[in-house]
């Protein structure tokens, strides 16, 4: 504990204590680990692509008064519907900033689209799709005058199986998430809108994410206690890709890391982010996540949202009395203004907030965010995140059935369609209408909603066939001439709560009731996270199962294209579906405060990198459906593995390397290239996701280190190739504080999923 006291003293009355309990800070037992102090905060240098933007920003900063500088560092009250606003400074032509939610589309306003959510894009395993979706979302934010998109999410990564916000991100695998966030950052920012990749870092549960007062006693946020190797190999990995892609902002999270609040943690902000990764943009708080005043400034925080009670004029006082350097304030402001120039928002941007009325019910002008150009990408991104996991008796695709029966609350639309996405409650499922996006700030606002039932009716109209439904009963009557019975259920999640479980009895009973009466029962689950299926997956009458994730507003249209074979399922699971919940082990549930440590809830990441498939492989647990799994209407055959070392120079880190955005540039040197041939050996055209896993000496059995999605017509072949760079083949050395290649034999696996790997090879370094 005394180490914390020392830090407090050093920083001059900071407010580690502001939100910390006043009692029982006497025992070391509360502190699994402290974050080592890393000061001073590195100044942005304007490296690489930032040079011009930094020059312009420095010129502007030189003209600002202290009060103007202070105003740039904190949000202010607004009459717009923006989630946060930085006031304009008309004297120097700075037009201000509007920042708004979130990573799956613009929330809480009209004339925008509801895009497929992060988990759906993760299930698509398609980098081009991730890029296009991001580019179009960025264009919508731009037209609506939103300078900064509050996303994408790569934390939570998905450590906790029941995590309430896992669906906002892509996958619990860092490589897959990293590849998709890279494209997302490029896509959004290519449209002239910034991103604030979030939530940095260790935001892996909703339980105890914020400090609260329970029975008159202050309870701190949960502390994510993560060792140095694990944070690098798992949780920091996708942030590194986001920084490398040029993410102009990073949002610090609500949690504590090693007992220090994320927005005042000098090790994660000054150390990992600004020194090791060479981050040039600014750190913005999650809403209300600032708990320390000068401490957070010195730890590397640059902007407070939605407003600041702790900064303001206190920063100038602190500069005057020596507890903060004037250069720190200039650095904050330079970083913020540099992003404005970097995105050309000084010359090419609408009035900030122009399309964001305080309420859609108030008098306002229509500002159209959508464009007809987006239609193709909107539908395609809805299609590709569906994962077919069971298909027997030729159940799918449907062959012009004369009668289809539809069951389940999730088939129909809601009573009212609102732009104001709700923060939901702690609920397993049964939101009583089709689930197309999760709840909370990551929710989005549809222009319309194509429900499964609407789309099936349209199909029946076109085919002159019949569709009947009962979307309320749990034990519906079934017309025995039904050629297919479609059952729609969902699994809900929302910000603010972790999920109460990975199944719900009401929905499972509905499925088994229908399956008892219909020998061609096809189950569609809209799932905002992992959903287990053990109750009925082996039922002989359950002939097909689709994990439909969160497709956005084109949900029904996309699904019917797949059911009727106009599109071939190409999604793959971005997580593991276990046979039973307990197989997730210690990371099934979020950490709960334990007596006697209740005032300072702790979450020890003792499992290290062994989450999801890494843990199942390590413990030899057979999953129901493994990571990377998904069926197609065709089959693919793998052959001709070639593994070759392309760079003779496998020396460890050349120490001279200068840090660029994303870290040491030598990390991206290609060391090994792997190629393979994939053939479409079935009877319809299809898309395959060829996956490469590597077993690094002394590491997990295997880890995803490459994937390529290819379209292959019937009978044709495609060559897939994977470039393995230094980071892909290294492990983090705590002693060297570097990524180091391992001397020994690496295993190489290529195939259809993490457990269906027909091609194996190896190489040695
Ligand atoms: C402080 O913690 C100890 C256990 O270490 C416990 O016995 C005691 O009741 C706690 N005191 C308060 C005021 O919570
Ligand atoms: C957290 O503590 C662990 C264990 O002491 C250490 O390995 C790690 O570097 C620390 N991380 C941070 C961000 O403080
Ligand atoms: C700073 O912000 C405050 C509150 O929004 C405002 O009243 C003041 O005029 C601003 N100062 C300058 C110099 O822009
Ligand atoms: C602000 O813009 C006006 C009009 O373009 C220009 O004349 C003026 O010089 C600008 N002021 C500053 C401080 O850049
Ligand atoms: C990947 O996504 C793009 C953009 O949506 C799409 O055009 C392409 O067909 C997809 N690729 C595969 C192989 O499915
Ligand atoms: C300075 O900080 C104190 C709390 O430490 C706060 O009450 C006060 O409002 C702050 N002043 C300004 C100008 O923000
Ligand atoms: C310096 O000013 C800051 C901000 O008002 C205050 O929190 C801190 O206690 C002061 N420190 C000293 C040594 O006066
Ligand atoms: C959904 O419907 C069921 C059954 O009619 C009801 O018990 C439940 O409260 C409803 N749930 C929600 C979230 O509306
Ligand atoms: C399967 O469905 C048929 C009706 O088509 C029903 O008679 C049979 O009992 C069902 N099988 C089971 C195992 O429920
Ligand atoms: C399913 O039931 C229908 C009639 O209800 C029957 O025609 C068909 O042969 C059955 N299919 C199987 C695979 O048992
Ligand atoms: C091979 O490695 C050396 C040393 O790390 C590096 O300078 C070079 O750029 C690499 N070549 C390729 C093709 O990545
Ligand atoms: C798959 O490839 C192997 C050899 O590469 C070949 O012998 C086999 O016939 C192929 N299978 C199909 C179904 O095309």
């Amino acid at each position: 504990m005394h180490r914390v006291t020392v830090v407090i003293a050093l920083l001059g009355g900071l407010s580690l204590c502001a939100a910390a309990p006043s009692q029982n800070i006497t025992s070391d037992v509360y502190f699994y680990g402290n974050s080592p102090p890393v000061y001073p905060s590195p100044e942005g240098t304007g490296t690489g692509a930032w040079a011009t933007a930094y020059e312009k920003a420095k010129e502007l900063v030189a003209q600002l008064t202290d009060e103007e500088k202070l105003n740039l560092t904190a949000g202010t009250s607004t009459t717009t519907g923006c989630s946060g606003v930085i006031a304009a400074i008309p004297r120097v032509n700075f037009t201000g900033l509007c920042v708004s939610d979130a990573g799956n589309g613009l929330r809480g306003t009209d004339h925008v689209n509801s895009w497929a959510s992060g988990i759906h894009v993760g299930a698509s395993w398609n980098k081009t799709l991730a890029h296009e979706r991001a580019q179009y979302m960025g264009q919508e934010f731009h037209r609506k005058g939103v300078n900064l998109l509050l996303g994408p999410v790569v934390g939570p990564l998905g450590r906790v199986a029941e995590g309430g916000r896992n669906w906002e991100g892509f996958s619990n695998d860092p490589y897959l998430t990293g590849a998709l966030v890279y494209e997302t950052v490029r896509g959004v920012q290519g449209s002239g809108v910034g991103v604030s990749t979030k939530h940095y870092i260790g935001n892996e549960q909703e339980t105890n994410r914020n400090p609260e007062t329970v029975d008159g006693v202050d309870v701190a946020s949960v502390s994510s206690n993560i060792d140095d190797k694990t944070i690098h190999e798992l949780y920091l990995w996708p942030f590194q890709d986001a920084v490398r892609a040029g993410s102009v902002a990073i949002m610090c999270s609500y949690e504590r890391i090693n007992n220090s609040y994320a927005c005042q943690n000098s090790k994660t902000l000054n150390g990992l982010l600004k020194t090791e990764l060479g981050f040039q943009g600014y750190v913005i708080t999650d809403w209300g996540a600032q708990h320390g005043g000068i401490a957070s400034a010195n730890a590397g925080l640059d902007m407070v949202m939605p407003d600041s009670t702790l900064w303001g004029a206190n920063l100038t006082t602190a500069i005057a009395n020596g507890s903060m350097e004037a250069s720190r304030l200039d650095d904050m402001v330079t970083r913020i203004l540099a992003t404005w120039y970097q995105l050309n928002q000084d010359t090419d941007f609408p009035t900030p907030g122009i399309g964001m009325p305080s309420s859609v019910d108030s008098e306002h002008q229509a500002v159209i965010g959508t464009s007809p150009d987006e239609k193709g990408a909107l539908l395609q991104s809805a299609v590709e995140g569906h994962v077919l996991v069971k298909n027997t008796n030729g159940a799918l695709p449907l062959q012009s059935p004369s009668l289809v029966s539809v069951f389940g609350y999730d088939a129909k639309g809601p009573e009212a369609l609102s732009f104001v996405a709700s923060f939901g409650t702690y609920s397993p499922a049964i939101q009583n209408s089709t689930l197309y996006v999760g709840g909370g700030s990551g929710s989005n606002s549809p222009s319309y909603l194509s429900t499964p039932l609407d789309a099936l009716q349209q199909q029946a109209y076109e085919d002159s066939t019949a569709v009947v439904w009962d979307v309320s009963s749990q034990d519906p009557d079934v017309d025995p001439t039904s050629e297919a019975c479609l059952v729609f259920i969902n699994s809900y999640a929302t910000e603010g709560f972790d999920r109460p479980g990975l199944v719900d009895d009401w929905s499972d009973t509905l499925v088994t009731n229908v399956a008892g009466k219909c020998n061609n029962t096809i189950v569609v689950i809209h799932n905002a996270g992992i959903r287990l299926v053990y109750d009925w997956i082996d039922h002989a009458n359950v002939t097909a199962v689709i994990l439909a994730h969160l497709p956005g507003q084109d949900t029904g249209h996309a699904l019917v294209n797949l059911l009727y074979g106009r599109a071939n399922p190409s999604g793959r699971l971005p997580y593991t579906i276990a046979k039973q919940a307990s197989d997730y082990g210690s990371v099934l549930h979020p950490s709960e405060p334990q007596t006697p440590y209740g005032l300072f809830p702790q979450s020890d990441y003792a499992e290290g990198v062994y989450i999801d498939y890494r843990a199942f492989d390590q413990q030899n647990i057979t999953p129901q459906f493994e990571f990377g799994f998904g069926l197609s209407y065709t089959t693919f055959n793998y052959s001709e593995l070639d593994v070759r070392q392309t760079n003779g120079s496998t020396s460890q880190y050349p120490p001279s390397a200068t840090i660029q955005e994303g870290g040491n540039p030598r990390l991206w040197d290609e060391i090994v290239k792997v190629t393979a041939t994939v053939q479409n050996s079935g009877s319809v055209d299809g898309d395959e996701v060829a996956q490469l896993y590597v077993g690094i000496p002394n590491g997990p059995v295997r880890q995803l280190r490459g994937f390529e999605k290819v379209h292959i017509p019937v009978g044709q072949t495609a060559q897939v190739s994977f470039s393995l760079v230094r980071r892909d083949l290294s492990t983090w050395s705590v002693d060297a504080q570097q990524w180091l290649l391992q001397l020994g034999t690496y295993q190489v696996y290529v195939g259809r999923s993490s457990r269906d790997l027909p091609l194996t090879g190896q190489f040695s370094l």
Side-chain angles (χ1 to χ4, degrees):
M1 176 48 217
H2 62 281
R3 276 161 73 191
V4 172
T5 318
V6 169
V7 174
I8 291 172
L10 271 177
L11 298 178
L14 87 161
S15 10
L16 244 186
C17 303
S22 54
Q23 44 193 312
N24 240 345
I25 311 195
T26 52
S27 168
D28 272 321
V29 80
Y30 295 135
F31 295 90
Y32 156 98
N34 295 323
S35 274
V38 181
Y39 300 100
S41 191
E43 285 181 25
T45 53
T47 55
W50 285 89
T52 311
Y54 261 74
E55 258 171 50
K56 292 181 186 169
K58 286 192 164 157
E59 222 168 89
L60 185 53
V61 172
Q63 300 173 43
L64 298 180
T65 65
D66 279 353
E67 193 183 331
E68 286 165 345
K69 290 179 190 174
L70 297 177
N71 277 8
L72 281 167
T73 66
T76 186
S77 62
T78 173
T79 54
T80 69
C82 304
S83 307
V85 155
I86 294 292
I89 311 173
R91 188 179 73 78
V92 293
N93 296 343
F94 173 69
T95 45
L97 302 175
C98 162
V99 309
S100 266
D101 294 330
N104 304 314
L106 189 48
R107 177 176 71 89
T109 192
D110 51 11
H111 306 294
V112 292
N113 287 319
S114 161
W115 289 85
S117 290
I119 194 173
H120 205 82
V121 178
S124 81
W125 293 64
N126 185 334
K127 293 171 221 177
T128 313
L129 180 147
H131 191 99
E132 283 186 9
R133 162 185 177 266
Q135 182 185 323
Y136 286 123
M137 277 194 322
Q139 288 174 10
E140 291 187 20
F141 279 70
H142 197 279
R143 293 186 195 104
K144 300 291 268 184
V146 179
N147 303 73
L148 187 78
L149 174 156
L150 299 174
V153 168
V154 300
L157 182 69
R159 172 183 186 251
V160 176
E162 293 174 347
R165 299 188 78 173
N166 294 352
W167 61 274
E168 294 184 49
F170 304 106
S171 166
N172 54 29
D173 179 82
Y175 183 93
L176 178 55
T177 292
L180 297 174
V181 79
Y182 182 89
E183 296 298 335
T184 301
V185 171
R186 288 288 172 115
V188 173
Q189 294 194 167
S191 300
V193 166
V195 298
S196 49
T197 308
K198 67 188 189 181
H199 306 83
Y200 187 73
I201 188 173
N203 189 151
E204 296 294 329
Q205 62 176 61
E206 293 300 278
T207 304
N208 282 111
R209 70 173 185 169
N210 271 318
E212 50 193 308
T213 305
V214 180
D215 298 334
V217 179
D218 292 334
V219 178
S221 288
V222 65
S223 175
S224 298
N225 301 323
I226 318 176
D227 66 82
D228 196 36
K229 184 172 159 70
T230 300
I231 208 169
H232 279 88
E233 295 183 4
L234 221 50
Y235 301 102
L236 186 63
W237 181 293
F239 281 105
Q240 179 164 25
D241 289 304
V243 171
R244 183 160 175 256
S247 183
V248 300
I250 295 286
M251 182 188 288
C252 54
S253 67
Y254 289 128
E255 279 79 359
R256 297 178 298 147
I257 302 105
N258 286 10
N259 289 288
S260 172
Y261 275 100
C263 293
Q264 63 188 59
N265 187 313
S266 68
K267 169 68 179 172
T268 57
L269 300 179
N270 289 341
L272 300 179
L273 182 64
K274 289 184 172 177
T275 306
E276 189 181 319
L277 301 188
F279 176 60
Q280 299 293 311
Y282 61 94
V283 176
I284 178 173
T285 63
D286 202 341
W287 269 229
Q290 185 188 37
H291 298 292
I294 311 311
S296 63
N298 286 333
L301 177 66
D302 302 301
M303 183 190 283
V304 185
M305 280 290 169
D307 53 28
S308 175
T309 51
L310 299 173
W311 278 4
N314 286 333
L315 291 187
T316 36
T317 313
I319 291 168
N321 76 15
S323 45
M324 180 182 151
E325 298 289 338
S327 56
R328 178 73 268 266
L329 177 60
D330 283 349
D331 178 52
M332 292 175 188
V333 177
T334 305
R335 287 170 176 272
I336 292 163
L337 290 173
T339 70
W340 188 62
Y341 291 117
Q342 179 75 345
L343 297 163
N344 298 320
Q345 293 181 347
D346 57 324
T347 55
D348 177 21
F349 206 79
T351 306
I354 183 133
M356 299 297 292
S358 61
S359 147
V360 288
D361 301 328
S362 67
E363 198 58 43
H364 65 281
Q365 247 194 323
V367 175
I368 310 297
T370 57
S371 153
D373 303 348
E374 300 173 277
K375 270 181 144 27
L378 199 57
L379 178 60
Q380 190 62 17
S381 55
V383 167
E384 290 194 43
H386 288 78
V387 183
L388 178 67
V389 293
K390 182 176 182 182
N391 191 15
T392 54
N393 302 347
L396 292 178
L398 298 172
Q399 312 286 345
S400 314
S402 58
L403 176 63
V404 172
S405 293
V406 179
F407 304 109
Y409 56 89
D410 182 74
K412 66 179 167 71
E415 293 297 321
L417 188 61
S418 163
F419 298 125
V420 188
S422 64
F423 280 69
T425 50
Y426 187 69
S427 151
I430 320 183
Q431 294 299 298
N432 292 341
S433 62
T434 197
L435 188 68
Y436 58 97
V437 67
S441 64
S443 195
N444 56 27
S445 302
S447 288
Y448 56 79
L449 183 59
S450 163
T451 69
L453 188 52
D454 292 344
L456 286 162
Q457 290 215 63
Q458 181 66 27
Q459 184 70 38
Y461 171 81
E462 277 161 25
D463 293 350
S464 300
T465 58
V467 54
V468 294
W469 66 87
D470 176 345
V471 291
S472 61
S473 172
Q474 196 186 18
D475 191 9
D477 293 333
V478 177
D479 182 326
T481 70
S482 302
E483 284 170 49
C485 299
L486 300 171
V487 186
F488 289 87
I489 61 176
N490 68 44
S491 195
Y492 180 70
T494 179
E495 178 181 5
F497 302 89
D498 293 309
R499 296 162 65 205
L502 303 177
V503 294
D504 80 90
D505 289 345
W506 202 97
S507 301
D508 287 335
T509 304
L510 167 66
V511 172
T512 46
N513 284 344
V514 173
K517 301 173 193 170
C518 179
N519 69 7
N520 192 24
T521 298
I522 296 167
V523 183
V524 177
I525 312 176
H526 286 111
N527 55 316
I530 295 170
R531 174 48 157 101
L532 304 187
V533 292
Y534 52 76
D535 250 22
W536 40 260
I537 191 66
D538 294 325
H539 195 297
N541 286 352
V542 173
T543 51
V545 178
I546 295 176
L547 288 154
H549 297 115
L550 303 169
Q553 71 192 31
D554 277 358
T555 176
H557 188 179
L559 179 78
V560 171
N561 279 357
L562 289 161
L563 292 177
Y564 281 78
R566 287 190 294 272
N568 191 343
S570 66
R572 304 290 182 260
L573 293 176
Y575 50 75
T576 299
I577 295 186
K579 286 180 184 283
Q580 52 190 354
S582 57
D583 287 347
Y584 295 101
S586 62
V587 289
L588 167 62
H589 304 301
S591 304
E592 298 285 348
Q594 300 291 319
T595 45
Y597 316 124
L599 301 179
F600 298 94
Q602 303 290 312
S603 181
D604 294 347
Y605 286 34
E607 73 289 345
V609 299
Y610 293 93
I611 63 167
D612 204 73
Y613 72 87
R614 289 168 175 76
F616 282 70
D617 288 346
Q618 181 197 37
Q619 294 160 41
N620 216 358
I621 300 171
T622 305
Q624 182 72 56
F625 297 116
E626 72 271 17
F627 179 87
F629 175 75
L631 299 169
S632 163
Y633 295 152
T634 188
T635 53
F636 299 97
N637 201 2
Y638 282 73
S639 59
E640 293 174 40
L641 179 70
D642 183 76
V643 180
R644 71 183 55 186
Q645 206 168 313
T646 50
N647 193 336
S649 171
T650 54
S651 61
Q652 300 294 8
Y653 258 97
S656 58
T658 345
I659 297 296
Q660 289 173 5
E661 258 206 316
N664 190 319
R666 295 275 73 83
L667 287 174
W668 319 107
D669 292 342
E670 182 183 279
I671 308 286
V672 170
K673 194 172 196 90
V674 177
T675 57
T677 300
V678 186
Q679 183 181 25
N680 182 337
S681 45
S683 54
V684 288
D685 297 352
D687 305 299
E688 172 66 330
V689 179
Q691 302 167 36
L692 166 75
Y693 295 83
V694 176
I696 300 175
N698 312 315
V701 177
R702 63 183 73 90
Q703 303 188 75
L704 183 72
R705 285 295 186 259
F707 63 95
E708 196 183 333
K709 190 169 196 177
V710 279
H711 178 76
I712 315 179
V714 181
Q716 306 275 297
T717 58
Q719 202 189 49
V720 290
S721 79
F722 311 96
S723 175
L724 290 167
V725 302
R726 188 180 291 272
R727 184 181 65 158
D728 296 332
L729 301 176
S730 298
T731 56
W732 178 257
S733 165
V734 175
D735 293 337
Q737 287 293 295
Q738 296 282 20
W739 289 96
L740 295 183
L741 294 168
Q742 299 300 294
L743 297 181
T745 303
Y746 286 71
Q747 304 298 326
V748 175
Y749 310 87
V750 174
R752 306 175 189 91
S753 78
S754 65
R755 293 214 168 186
D756 181 1
L757 297 159
L759 305 181
T760 59
Q762 47 182 232
F763 64 90
S764 297
L765 295 180

